[in-house]
Amino acid sequence: MAHLRRALCFVFVCALASPAAAQEGARTFTDEEKAEQAPEPVEAVLTRPPELLKFAEATYPEAAREAGREAAVQLILTLSAEGKVTEAVLAGEPVGDGFDEAAIEAALQLEWRPAEVNGAPAEVRVPFIYRFAFVPDPEEPPPAEVKTARIIGRVREKGTRLPLPAVPVSLGTIAEVLSDETGRFVLENAPVGEFELVAVSPDHRRERLPVTLVAGEEVEVELLLERLRSSPFETIVRGDRERSSLTRRTLEDEELKTVPGSFGDPLRAVLNMPGMARSPYILGLVLVRGSAPSDSAILVDGHEVPIIYHFLGGPSVLPADMLERIDFYPGNFSARFGRALGGIIDVGTRRPNPKAWRGNAHFDLFDAGLYFEGPIIEDRLAISGSIRRSYVDAVIQTVVEVLADGENVSVVLPVYYDYQTRLDFRPSHAHSLSLVVFGSDDQLEVVGSQSGGTDVRLDAGIAFTRVKLDWHAQPAKWLEWTLSPVVGFDETSYRVGTLEAEGTLYEYALRFDLRAQPVENLILRTGFDGMARTLVAKGRVPVLLPEYRPHPSSTIGDREAATIERSLDLMTGAFYLEAEWRPMGGPVTVLPGVRTDQYTWVDRYRFFVDPRLNVRWAVTDDITLSAGGGLFSQPPVEWRLDPEFGNPELEPEWAVHTGLGVAWKMAEALSLSVDGFYIERYDLSERTNEAEFDENGNVADISRWENIGRGRAYGVEVLLKHELTRQFYGWISYTLSRSEQIFQIGDDWSPTDFDQTHILVLVASYAFSDNWRAGLRFRLVSCNPQTPVESPTLDSDRGTHQPLFGPPLSARGPLFNQLDIRVDRSWTFDWWSLGVYLDLQNVYNAVNPEAVQYNYRYDHEAPIPGLPVLPSFGIQGSF
Amino acid sequence: MARALPDRRLTRRRDGSWWRLVAALLVALSGCSSLETPEIVKDFRVLGVSLSRPEVFVMVEGIDPTLTPAELQTLTPEDLPDAIEITRYYGSDANPGQVHLNILAANPERPDTPISFRVRACPYYEAYRCDDADLDDTLLLYNFAAQEGQNKYRGHGTLRAPMPPRTDAPDDAQQFTFELPIDYLNKVLDADPFHGFGGLLVLLDIEVRQAGSPSIRVGKLMTYSLPFALANEGDTSLIVKEQNRNPLTCALVIRDSVLSPNFGGINCAIGARLAIETSEQEEIEAEPGEEVAIEPVMNRAERRELGDEAQIYYADTFPDPDRGIPPGNKVLSEVLDFDYYATAGKLSAYRLSTRTVFSDQAWPRIKWTAPKQPQCADVFLVLRDDRGGQSWTRRTFRVGDVPYQCPACVNPEIYGCPPPQ
């Protein structure tokens, strides 16, 4: 008997490919270091996969040979820019019997043609399977005369039809070849006869294709490999590598689309991270470290958008297919970001596939959408587009009508749609242009009857459009910049009874970001972040004060309303400079930054300088300590600057963020981070309890907006995370925090609306064989504080009861607890794939009071329940 | 100059409360609330408080106290004193400062249990209680302790308590009458952050008690104001105002076009006494489960646009030099609310209103569905304007075969019916 020792290797584009490392030759970085070194705007494109030039045969372990055992040892190889294997480590569980040692020993002897990233040889890490196959000796010698044939083939992924490069294709035990970057391969001089073509990829099922070879003939074949875990609901979303903030939370790949309870929406998945308070119902409020929703900024490619979720807890306005990355900074963020006191969610749109056309269509209970992407000119000009429209209004209407059985029932009807398109042009490796147009439209119409029988009408609408152009250039390896102008407008409208208001906000924004790495241990970054807004509003609104003093029982009526028109200009501009410096190339990284914000409105000018400093110390390869602090400022909400309804004298609000953290990489896929924070917020705009009098003693104004509020938040965030591996991901997130505010001068500290002392989130998801995935999310969260009602008084003039409130926000309901589950199943066909999911929220139907409602005379209370069991079912077909 | 307004004990939050409004709106609209609704009276309730004069005129120092309304109109803004001090009440009758207070209380569970009450007055600071006012500013007008045993008026109906008890005028004997001292009004004026501009508001903090039930706190505002309004820019004279009066209904139309019994016709005149005083003593028969249409007849008994009965009035406006707004006046029209209550059965509506801000205008016609079991039931209509004026009427229904006269069951003192079994 003879033993054939064969190795099957698999090379694919890996996120660990590092241009920086490539430039630095043989220098070895840890994973984290590599991640940090990578320039965020530069897209690392694997222009040539590594190619195995010289195979090294391993020694078959004797005991295993005698026992007739076979094995496949999964390895991760680090290939230098010269094509040498500098490191070989086990990627999976040891298989034992001496196979692991033999495979590592042999793998270190392999010789490769180096991979190229962006056209230059680069260090990469590749998965590699060294397969030990036990083959009996041929009892009969091969035929003396061998005639040959030729096989031409292509390896592609089943369902998506994407070419699979560097996939080894073997003809029995006779010949083997790797597919090229287009998935094509050629087997010359193949023996005639009946054989089996075998293609193996670590992420795909082994594909076997019987072929019959006839001497002198050419056979053309196509091998379609099915992904081991195929799901049309997966998306390719990767966190960027920017690390100039103290804390950044990043979710990747299918984590973002398969988190239970998120309805497959990546931007909802982020809400499960530490530092993020629970939003009531599924409203999707961004509640970062106790701050108000308006204190946090939602950015798309660095530019603000007015809303990120559709009305009433709808999905995010950007579909998952359009996303490249989502980064969440709960505080202490980079000087590149500003105009926010809370946190930052920075969403990046995805570059369309420049090589192949792809697309999908999805339907669920709420909406339906289409997505496509592909090359117009391969590798140079590509386009993507998406559109989505809700029909939840029709669903609700139908269900309610059936359930109501003829009764007159009020219905809330949200209607939304959104659209996105992106055109990418890459004239050269050094330059790229992208044009992104996106927007959404939300309308909400409430028609119904109050308990008294009076008709109620409440309409609201918001729509926005943004047109963004990005010009990215990298004239030298150490220098790159991005210029990004944006124009857009927002339209809002409200109608309550006969009162109505509508406004249009025109926005012009410009970002310029320059990144340079003059020396190895120093990265400099500078730029401009400016925005001009013009708000034009008109409406029929109440203008009671200060014109006359109505009787207190008088309700605002249309007789007191007036048609007003407003125009407000607001300009902000910021210059920033920050550095990432590693003194002496040591374990300490210093990240100083400064941002200067200028605010101009109503002929007033404000200037803020926000210095920031973060420091990281890699104590060991696995443990990193970090600390930081800085100033942050934001302008007041626009309408509060109105001369009549607000106060144009308002100053910007500002905050001091401080933080301390430790990150411990406990194992290959397991990490633990603990972050403490303390935040003070100053000059928050609040309504005063004071009346203003002129020199004659006349009332000039009452209850005006002033910068009299203060806030503070402090706490600890813990994240134990199992990174996404072949089958499992999950995390346990716990936040212990306190968020307080002073609303009026002389007031004591009281909790803020979303002060949640304990926030525990557990997420786990497991991929089974046969394309099943199941996951769960469990949450245990303190109830939001509420203001108790101590006793009522009948207001005889209005005929209604007035509550007498107790101390503000001094009461709490029971702990919120909820379990959500999600099950995914997919099927892959030759040309397309089909996926379905069931997302079930609040599995055991916990009654989680979101607030308290009182009866008309405030002597009995009842909880306003949270969501009951809420199923969502979706289906998506992709090609 | 800034001066702190009194603590309103209201919560202030940083733009985070809107979602609660959304949640409450959704719950209300979805009809998911299991809490009781206000239109059905099941236990001890106060449904209304009316004043014989919801607005009282006062005169200030520096103006001839003997001027008639016509003579007042010859004054110009320059004739007004710089410093205002109230010197007397102003009006055409002998006691222009005297006010009668009526309380409409109901309790189907204990219709024969006596009711007592306490009335305090204090400057109005947005809170509908005098608890937060300085003790020096609070005036005790009437204390239930002094009146225990004398208030024999029970159950449904208008609670009228004399103070001091009077026996010489039976028609008025059931009213609580008071008159605030001028010195007290000046004290209230001193505390008013608006310096009396637009009217001086005094809160009547009323606590109503009935044995066996939780006490009820009620707030009622009195307005004391000058009998004229500032003229608009360019006008040289003041505008004489009309004193606010309680809104009036003449009658209720029951079951479409059939007027309630014993009502004297449809030619109500402005200022006529409430039709309810003659008609509410009659009972109306109804079948169990019957839907009965109820519709108020406004003054002059003509179906006019809502608001015909509302007064036109002038409201002083603040000057705003920054916006070039001089002191002046606004011409406004009262808004009327029609609140219906029932002690049994079901009402198709609770509040109908001429307000058009949050709702569409609707004629205040309702349907009352009689209970399915034989019993007596009362339906109340409380009519409110939006500046303190208020009146009410009641209809008593005999539903099915009831072996006694219905009004007797609920108010033996007034209607002389036999006591309940």
Side-chain angles (χ1 to χ4, degrees), chain A residues 596-615:
Chain A
T596 63
D597 274 291
Q598 301 89 42
Y599 303 104
T600 305
W601 62 77
V602 201
D603 300 327
R604 300 185 66 83
Y605 178 79
R606 298 287 185 274
F607 181 78
F608 265 65
V609 178
D610 292 343
R612 298 165 195 180
L613 175 65
N614 291 318
V615 178

Side-chain angles (χ1 to χ4, degrees), chain A residues 329-452:
Chain A
Y329 305 95
N332 254 326
F333 40 82
S334 156
R336 288 192 299 130
F337 304 118
R339 298 190 288 272
L341 300 188
I344 298 283
I345 292 181
D346 188 25
V347 178
T349 57
R350 191 161 67 87
R351 181 185 173 215
N353 191 324
K355 293 185 178 298
W357 283 95
R358 294 183 59 202
N360 65 58
H362 81 267
F363 309 88
D364 60 29
L365 288 180
F366 308 115
D367 56 41
L370 292 170
Y371 171 77
F372 68 91
E373 64 174 331
I376 299 175
I377 303 173
E378 190 167 323
D379 286 331
R380 295 180 70 84
L381 184 63
I383 190 171
S384 62
S386 176
I387 188 168
R388 174 170 51 186
R389 207 286 190 187
S390 72
Y391 42 70
V392 65
D393 52 328
V395 173
I396 293 175
Q397 182 84 44
T398 303
V399 171
V400 168
E401 284 178 0
V402 170
L403 296 178
D405 194 22
E407 291 284 327
N408 182 23
V409 177
S410 305
V411 182
V412 181
L413 303 173
V415 179
Y416 59 82
Y417 66 84
D418 56 62
Y419 56 91
Q420 306 80 25
T421 186
R422 174 169 170 154
L423 186 67
D424 271 50
F425 178 52
R426 185 182 288 263
S428 68
H429 277 303
H431 294 271
S432 63
L433 293 167
S434 71
L435 176 67
V436 184
V437 181
F438 64 101
S440 78
D441 187 292
D442 279 72
Q443 300 295 327
L444 179 67
E445 183 179 344
V446 178
V447 181
S449 299
Q450 290 178 320
S451 60

Side-chain angles (χ1 to χ4, degrees), chain A residues 280-281 283 285 292-295 312 341 409-412 446-458 496-499 545-560 634 637 640 644 653 684-694 696-700 702-703 741 743-744 753-754 784-787 790-802 804-809 850-851 853-857 859-862 864-865, chain B residues 1-20 22-30 32-40 42-50 124 126-129 131-132 192-201 205 216-223 313 315-321 323 325 330 332-335 337 339 341 347-353 355-360 384-390:
Chain A
Y281 298 101
L283 293 181
L285 303 180
S294 59
D295 288 346
L312 296 180
L341 300 188
V409 177
S410 305
V411 182
V412 181
V446 178
V447 181
S449 299
Q450 290 178 320
S451 60
T454 306
D455 290 339
V456 174
R457 189 165 196 90
L458 170 64
V496 180
T498 57
L499 299 182
L545 297 174
E547 286 191 359
Y548 78 99
R549 181 190 190 183
H551 190 280
S553 67
S554 176
T555 302
I556 296 170
D558 53 348
R559 55 185 189 149
E560 293 104 353
Q634 69 179 17
V637 179
R640 291 181 186 170
E644 186 164 354
E653 303 168 340
L684 306 179
S685 56
E686 296 288 347
R687 275 195 178 279
T688 65
N689 258 347
E690 294 182 336
E692 290 287 334
F693 297 87
D694 61 18
N696 299 320
N698 295 320
V699 174
I702 63 170
S703 190
Q741 186 160 339
F743 298 98
Q744 294 289 324
D753 270 285
F754 299 105
N784 287 322
Q786 296 153 2
T787 300
E790 292 184 340
S791 60
T793 299
L794 171 64
D795 174 357
S796 172
D797 292 324
R798 292 190 182 93
T800 56
H801 290 73
Q802 306 292 329
L804 184 65
F805 292 109
L809 300 168
E850 294 287 9
Q853 61 174 331
Y854 294 89
N855 66 344
Y856 67 93
R857 50 181 164 177
D859 60 357
H860 285 85
E861 65 179 46
I864 297 178
Chain B
M1 181 180 68
R3 184 162 61 180
L5 297 174
D7 180 12
R8 299 169 214 162
R9 302 189 71 180
L10 300 175
T11 57
R12 294 178 177 277
R13 308 185 185 95
R14 187 165 167 73
D15 75 355
S17 301
W18 61 268
W19 71 268
R20 284 192 170 90
V22 171
L25 179 66
L26 295 181
V27 169
L29 289 175
S30 64
C32 293
S33 173
S34 59
L35 296 169
E36 61 175 327
T37 53
E39 67 267 23
I40 302 301
K42 297 177 178 175
D43 50 16
F44 184 40
R45 294 275 299 276
V46 171
L47 304 180
V49 175
S50 73
Y124 171 66
E126 292 195 13
Y128 270 72
R129 288 189 179 187
D131 298 3
D132 296 329
D192 183 21
F194 295 91
H195 293 200
F197 202 88
L200 197 60
L201 294 171
D205 179 355
I216 297 175
R217 295 287 289 271
V218 187
K220 175 69 183 174
L221 289 179
M222 283 285 305
T223 304
Y313 66 100
D316 290 325
T317 57
F318 293 119
D320 189 342
R323 293 187 299 154
I325 297 175
K330 273 180 173 292
L332 301 172
S333 178
E334 284 177 340
V335 172
D337 286 334
D339 293 351
Y341 306 91
L347 286 166
S348 63
Y350 154 57
R351 166 164 290 182
L352 299 174
S353 174
R355 299 175 198 274
T356 58
V357 176
F358 299 105
S359 62
D360 297 329
R384 295 180 170 91
D385 67 19
D386 61 348
R387 50 187 185 132
Q390 193 171 141

Side-chain angles (χ1 to χ4, degrees), chain A residues 4 14 69 117 120 159 336 338 392 397 412 423 467 470-471 521 532 555 576 624 644 701 746 761 779 797 814 841:
Chain A
L4 293 180
C14 180
R69 291 181 186 149
V117 175
R336 288 192 299 130
V392 65
Q397 182 84 44
V412 181
L423 186 67
V467 179
D470 280 355
W471 176 16
N521 60 345
T555 302
Y576 60 84
T624 303
E644 186 164 354
D701 198 359
V761 181
R779 290 181 292 166
D797 292 324
Q841 291 213 17

Side-chain angles (χ1 to χ4, degrees), chain A residues 741-752:
Chain A
Q741 186 160 339
I742 293 176
F743 298 98
Q744 294 289 324
I745 296 173
D747 281 1
D748 291 331
W749 290 100
S750 62
T752 58

